[in-house]
Amino acid sequence: QIKGVFIMIDHYEAFMEFIHKKREYKPKLLLHACCAPCASSVLELLKDVFDITIHFYNPNIYPYEEYVKRLNEFKKFANIPVIESAYEDKAYYEAVAGLESLGERSKRCFSCYNLRLKKTAQLAKEHNFDYFTTTLSLSPYKDSNKINEIGQNLAKEYEVAFLYSNFKKNNGYKRSIELSKELGLYRQNYCGCLFSFEERKKSTI
């Protein structure tokens, strides 16, 4: 059994107790981030506890110009290193093949979570991070239980600890909106993928 392979915490209070536990050093955390607004409140919560590096791997984002816009917003965060993995949109469409007609919080999204978290786990293992996790659970439109299940499985596969996350708790999402306004961050009005883009267009007609 891998020591600390998955920090299983079933409620927010236990999670808060864990991240504020006294340590002799700051553990290295590779934080997959989907966008700067979501990262803002997560970084506020974790920056004094972990030595954080952001991993920007989001091949689902459509179109490419939107991808670049979201990536550039991370420049507004001071002293937070960002690793950008390649924009592999082909890998995304292969991952969701046959699931295109499914909506938000479906197997299509779960395949997308897995794709992005898998790359993050690989990178965390390769560069000796203590933990990896993702900002995805901040969104009220994302299934935190599924995100954590995928993270647990990848932690076992790559032998690197996954940090439980449900960052929408305790008004985390609301705080991200407040910080986005304070920092002047660009906030998108759709998840990122072509399918959510089209779904958003239909809802505004």
Side-chain angles (χ1 to χ4, degrees):
Q1 184 177 358
I2 305 160
K3 184 178 180 181
V5 72
F6 178 65
I7 306 304
M8 176 60 79
I9 304 164
D10 58 7
H11 56 88
Y12 189 74
E13 291 74 16
F15 169 67
M16 293 296 291
E17 182 179 344
F18 169 75
I19 67 168
H20 291 300
K21 181 181 178 181
K22 286 187 177 181
R23 296 175 174 84
E24 295 180 359
Y25 77 105
K26 283 186 175 182
K28 291 173 59 181
L29 171 67
L30 186 61
L31 175 65
H32 167 264
C34 53
C35 63
C38 286
S40 62
S41 62
V42 176
L43 287 172
E44 183 179 65
L45 179 66
L46 300 180
K47 64 182 176 63
D48 293 331
V49 184
F50 296 97
D51 178 7
I52 301 173
T53 297
I54 288 172
H55 181 216
F56 192 83
Y57 178 62
N58 299 289
N60 59 307
I61 296 177
Y62 170 89
Y64 180 70
E65 291 75 17
E66 175 74 13
Y67 170 90
V68 173
K69 186 183 291 186
R70 296 191 192 191
L71 175 60
N72 286 339
E73 286 299 285
F74 282 100
K75 294 178 181 177
K76 295 181 180 179
F77 292 119
N79 301 319
I80 299 292
V82 178
I83 298 174
E84 179 194 4
S85 289
Y87 180 69
E88 302 169 329
D89 55 335
K90 182 179 179 182
Y92 167 70
Y93 289 113
E94 288 176 350
V96 300
L99 306 172
E100 295 90 344
S101 63
L102 302 180
E104 187 79 33
R105 296 172 68 92
S106 68
K107 289 182 178 180
R108 186 190 74 204
C109 294
F110 301 162
S111 292
C112 182
Y113 303 163
N114 186 74
L115 176 68
R116 292 185 278 173
L117 277 171
K118 184 172 185 176
K119 177 75 76 171
T120 305
Q122 290 171 338
L123 199 62
K125 176 66 174 180
E126 181 181 346
H127 294 281
N128 298 312
F129 281 86
D130 297 299
Y131 298 95
F132 74 100
T133 195
T134 178
T135 63
L136 288 171
S137 69
L138 180 86
S139 171
Y141 305 104
K142 300 291 188 291
D143 187 328
S144 298
N145 290 331
K146 195 65 181 181
I147 290 166
N148 285 315
E149 178 186 322
I150 291 168
Q152 179 183 17
N153 291 335
L154 291 170
K156 292 176 181 176
E157 181 178 352
Y158 290 98
E159 301 186 350
V160 59
F162 175 76
L163 180 68
Y164 164 99
S165 65
N166 195 348
F167 295 121
K168 66 175 68 67
K169 292 286 189 178
N170 201 28
N171 293 316
Y173 180 67
K174 179 182 178 182
R175 180 57 179 157
S176 74
I177 295 173
E178 294 171 350
L179 286 169
S180 295
K181 291 178 180 178
E182 291 176 18
L183 297 169
L185 297 175
Y186 160 69
R187 285 188 66 87
Q188 60 281 353
N189 62 3
Y190 66 104
C191 171
C193 67
L194 169 64
F195 312 108
S196 63
F197 178 77
E198 295 294 340
E199 288 162 9
R200 176 66 180 177
K201 281 201 306 183
K202 290 178 183 178
S203 69
T204 56
I205 294 175

